[in-house]
Amino acid sequence: MNYKLTTTLKKADTEGRIPAYTLDQYIRQELSQQLIARLTPHLPIDRSTELLPTNQESVDFTTELIFLKPHQWQQIKQALTGTLESLPPEQQCSVQQLISEVDQS
């Protein structure tokens, strides 16, 4: 999935009225809260019931995400799109579906 998040501040607040470090921390906090809210319903959770040597009464819950910068995704998407015609029809459909899923906002 593709997420684009925005927070808006008064221009005066961004021109030295607030120290740069404080402004940066505030913006990061605001955008990360938005990201958490958007990701939480879609977060894939895996449960491991394997016994761990350190604590045999615990269960691990994990998640894994891959983050790409927009230009990295565009390069991957271009490479995938360029090879579509050489794939069997069922794989073409899978790749197109994957591209659509990542591109949706």
Side-chain angles (χ1 to χ4, degrees), residues 50-69:
E50 296 176 16
L51 297 179
L52 303 174
T54 57
N55 185 353
Q56 295 187 4
E57 296 181 13
S58 66
V59 177
D60 285 343
F61 294 90
T62 60
T63 190
E64 186 174 344
L65 302 170
I66 297 173
F67 289 93
L68 298 172
K69 293 180 180 179

Side-chain angles (χ1 to χ4, degrees), residues 14-66:
T14 66
E15 294 177 335
R17 191 168 116 182
I18 297 174
Y21 176 79
T22 304
L23 185 63
D24 180 70
Q25 292 302 306
Y26 175 79
I27 292 168
R28 288 179 187 280
Q29 180 65 28
E30 287 291 313
L31 294 175
S32 66
Q33 289 299 318
Q34 290 179 36
L35 183 61
I36 289 168
R38 300 271 305 269
L39 283 177
T40 299
H42 308 286
L43 196 62
I45 305 290
D46 292 323
R47 176 182 175 154
S48 171
T49 55
E50 296 176 16
L51 297 179
L52 303 174
T54 57
N55 185 353
Q56 295 187 4
E57 296 181 13
S58 66
V59 177
D60 285 343
F61 294 90
T62 60
T63 190
E64 186 174 344
L65 302 170
I66 297 173

Side-chain angles (χ1 to χ4, degrees), residues 2 68-80 95 98-104:
N2 181 7
L68 298 172
K69 293 180 180 179
H71 77 274
Q72 292 171 318
W73 167 241
Q74 291 303 320
Q75 289 174 337
I76 292 170
K77 181 176 158 181
Q78 187 176 15
L80 289 171
V95 170
L98 173 67
I99 291 170
S100 294
E101 189 174 320
V102 172
D103 277 343
Q104 76 181 356

Side-chain angles (χ1 to χ4, degrees), residues 79-93:
L80 289 171
T81 303
T83 61
L84 275 178
E85 292 181 12
S86 65
L87 298 174
E90 59 277 356
Q91 286 182 337
Q92 287 180 16
C93 184

